[in-house]
Amino acid sequence: MEYDLTKGHPFQILLKFTLPVIGGNLFQLFYTLADSVIVGRTLGADSLAAVGSTSIIVYFVLCFIQGFTGGFGIRLGQKYGARDEAGMRSSVAVSWVLSILFAIVITLLCCLLSHPILYWMQTPDSIYDEAYIYMFVVLLGSGATIFYNMISNMLRALGDSRTPLIFLVFSSLLNIVLDIVFIVPMHGGVAGAAWATVLSQLLSALLCLIVGLRKFEVLRVGRADLARFRHDAAAHLRIGFPMGFQMSVMCIGQLAMQAGVNALGASAIAGYTAATKVDQLTVLVNNAFGIAISNYVAQNYGAGLYDRIRQGFRASLIQTEIGNVLMCAIILLGREFVTPLFLDNPTQEIIDYANGYFLAVAPFYLVLGLLLVYRSSVQSMGNSKAPFAACLIELALRIAGTFGLSAVLGYIGICLSSPMAWIGATASLIPVYHRMTKKRG
C-alpha cells in the first residue's frame, strides 16, 4: 500500500507507514539474531562469542548503509512532495550510480581491514579464527545489503513501506532454513551462518527491485536521467554521508565498548552479545519511527506544509515513546529468559553480564526515542550540520564514558556510556528543531 504523507490525519498516516517499517527492521535484525541463536545452540559458547565479538562491526556497516541510502530516500521524498517528476527520476538514477560505487569501496575496505580491526578490538585468541571467518564473509556481501537498503528506501520515499517488509519476511525465514542446513548437515560452522545471511539478503533485494520496477514507472531510469549528475550527486552526498555517519556513530562508540568487553574474557563477551542482540531490537524499532518521520517530514517539507510537519512530529513522539515504555517493561521483566535463548547451559557469570546490561540501558530507551525523532526531523528539513554535531557529541560521550565510567564502575560503566551519549546528543538537537519550526511560522 502507498501513502501520500502530505495528506490525511498525521497520527494515523504515520502509524500506518511506521508499522511495516518496524516489521522490516526487526526481520532484518533476525538475519544476525538467527545466526547467534543457531550458532550458540549448535556450535557452543565459544562460537557464539566469535560471532558476538564481530557483531558490532557488522552492525556498524549496516547502520552506515541504512543512513547513506536513507539520505538518498530523503532527497527522493522531497522531490515527490514537490511533484517534480524529472527531479524524482534524476534522484533515482544518481542513487543507483552512487550506491554501486559505494558498494565497491565499502566491500574492499571492510575485507582488507578485517584483521587489523579484530586485533584492535583485542579479540581473544581462542575465538579469533572463527570471528575472522564470520566477519569476512558477511562484509564480503556488503553489496547485497546496500542493494536492499537502497531500493527499500526508494520505495518508502514514494510512500510504499509494505513491499520491503513482505520480501524481507520471506528472506528472513529463508535465512533461518539456510542457517540450519549450512551448519548442521553441511558442517559449515560460522562460515555457513554468514553465507546464509548474505544469500538471503541478496534474494530480498532482487525481489524488492522486481516488484518496485513494476509498481513505479519513475524507477525505470536511463542515461538521460543522469544529465545533471554532478549537481545531483553532490546534493545526494550532502545528505547521505552525514546520515550514514549519524546512523553508525552509535556503533563507532560501541566498537570501543566491545573492545572493553573483549578484554574481560569469553564469558563477558557471551553475556554482552546475548544482551546487545536483544537490545538491537529496541534500537531498530526506534530507527523505524525515525525513518517514518524522516519520510513524512521530507514529503511535507517539499510541499511547503510546515504546520503539518509540527503535527506529525508530535504524533511521532507519542507513538515512539509508547513503544519505548512497552519495550523497556518487556525486557526488564523477561531478562532472565534471554541468555538461555542463545545457550543451552549458560553459566551464572554469563547471565549476570547480560542482566547487568539490561538494568543499565533499558530505562533510558525514552531518551533514545527523543534523539531519533528530533534528529530525523531536523535532517529532513535540510539541516545536516546540527545532526552531524549531535553525532560528534554522542561519539565523544560514548568513548569518554567507556573509558571514564569503566574505570570507576567496571562493566556497568561501559554499559552506561550509551545512555550518557543519548542524553548529550538529544540536548543539543531540541533547541535546533524548535528554532527551525518557529522560523517557518
Side-chain angles (χ1 to χ4, degrees):
M1 184 178 295
E2 296 81 45
Y3 297 105
D4 182 346
L5 303 179
T6 63
K7 301 175 182 178
H9 192 281
F11 190 95
Q12 296 175 359
I13 201 75
L14 270 170
L15 187 60
K16 290 179 181 179
F17 187 89
T18 302
L19 290 178
V21 181
I22 291 175
N25 275 2
L26 293 182
F27 273 98
Q28 191 158 27
L29 179 61
F30 285 168
Y31 281 122
T32 54
L33 186 60
D35 288 343
S36 299
V37 172
I38 295 171
V39 166
R41 298 186 71 87
T42 58
L43 301 179
D46 281 350
S47 294
L48 174 63
V51 172
S53 67
T54 66
S55 62
I56 189 59
I57 304 294
V58 175
Y59 191 52
F60 164 74
V61 175
L62 171 62
C63 285
F64 190 90
I65 289 170
Q66 287 180 331
F68 187 73
T69 57
F72 297 169
I74 285 179
R75 182 71 176 176
L76 179 58
Q78 290 173 345
K79 297 299 181 182
Y80 178 85
R83 302 299 187 263
D84 180 0
E85 184 172 348
M88 291 164 63
R89 298 181 67 87
S90 177
S91 176
V92 171
V94 168
S95 296
W96 271 110
V97 174
L98 293 178
S99 294
I100 291 171
L101 294 174
F102 178 62
I104 295 171
V105 172
I106 199 70
T107 302
L108 287 174
L109 281 177
C110 289
C111 291
L112 290 174
L113 294 176
S114 292
H115 275 304
I117 290 172
L118 289 175
Y119 176 78
W120 174 76
M121 292 181 64
Q122 305 179 61
T123 305
D125 292 339
S126 60
I127 63 174
Y128 187 95
D129 289 341
E130 284 190 309
Y132 173 77
I133 291 171
Y134 181 82
M135 185 172 76
F136 184 86
V137 172
V138 171
L139 295 181
L140 187 64
S142 296
T145 306
I146 293 170
F147 185 15
Y148 168 74
N149 280 278
M150 182 195 69
I151 186 64
S152 64
N153 277 310
M154 285 181 181
L155 294 177
R156 289 169 185 149
L158 296 173
D160 182 5
S161 60
R162 189 176 180 183
T163 298
L165 169 63
I166 292 173
F167 291 115
L168 194 54
V169 169
F170 169 76
S171 59
S172 295
L173 296 175
L174 175 64
N175 180 59
I176 295 173
V177 173
L178 292 179
D179 267 333
I180 296 172
V181 171
F182 289 169
I183 292 176
V184 182
M186 296 181 65
H187 305 288
V190 294
W195 279 116
T197 297
V198 172
L199 293 175
S200 299
Q201 184 99 72
L202 179 60
L203 178 60
S204 176
L206 289 171
L207 292 174
C208 209
L209 175 62
I210 291 171
V211 173
L213 289 173
R214 290 180 177 178
K215 292 181 69 173
F216 298 102
E217 194 276 334
V218 74
L219 296 180
R220 303 172 209 159
V221 296
R223 182 173 296 181
D225 297 305
L226 293 171
R228 302 175 70 247
F229 177 77
R230 289 187 179 181
H231 175 272
D232 287 346
H236 281 68
L237 292 174
R238 279 196 297 269
I239 302 176
F241 266 117
M243 281 195 65
F245 183 78
Q246 291 159 31
M247 289 284 287
S248 61
V249 69
M250 176 180 65
C251 299
I252 297 174
Q254 284 183 343
L255 290 177
M257 294 171 64
Q258 184 70 62
V261 173
N262 287 355
L264 299 177
S267 292
I269 296 173
Y272 183 79
T273 297
T276 53
K277 285 295 182 183
V278 174
D279 183 61
Q280 283 177 15
L281 293 171
T282 64
V283 173
L284 287 180
V285 169
N286 277 283
N287 280 342
F289 285 107
I291 290 170
I293 190 62
S294 178
N295 284 279
Y296 175 92
V297 171
Q299 285 193 17
N300 285 280
Y301 181 79
L305 303 175
Y306 303 113
D307 186 58
R308 184 173 171 82
I309 289 175
R310 289 189 288 270
Q311 294 173 11
F313 174 85
R314 290 191 293 269
S316 180
L317 272 184
I318 293 171
Q319 294 171 9
T320 303
E321 299 305 32
I322 289 175
N324 279 317
V325 169
L326 292 175
M327 288 187 294
C328 177
I330 291 171
I331 284 180
L332 291 181
L333 292 174
R335 64 184 185 277
E336 296 294 336
F337 300 99
V338 170
T339 309
L341 177 67
F342 294 88
L343 295 170
D344 278 329
N345 296 298
T347 65
Q348 187 59 47
E349 184 181 15
I350 293 176
I351 294 173
D352 290 343
Y353 276 119
N355 289 346
Y357 180 91
F358 290 134
L359 291 171
V361 175
F364 293 94
Y365 288 152
L366 288 171
V367 181
L368 176 61
L370 287 173
L371 171 60
L372 290 172
V373 174
Y374 271 103
R375 187 169 66 194
S376 299
S377 299
V378 170
Q379 182 78 60
S380 295
M381 287 188 288
N383 185 336
S384 60
K385 293 181 180 179
F388 186 79
C391 283
L392 293 178
I393 293 171
E394 184 180 355
L395 175 60
L397 289 175
R398 193 181 296 273
I399 294 176
T402 297
F403 295 107
L405 292 177
S406 64
V408 179
L409 301 174
Y411 172 77
I412 295 301
I414 296 176
C415 300
L416 285 172
S417 63
S418 289
M420 185 173 75
W422 298 338
I423 292 170
T426 304
S428 71
L429 286 169
I430 290 175
V432 175
Y433 168 81
H434 290 289
R435 280 200 303 269
M436 290 186 69
T437 53
K438 183 178 180 180
K439 186 183 301 183
R440 294 292 180 180

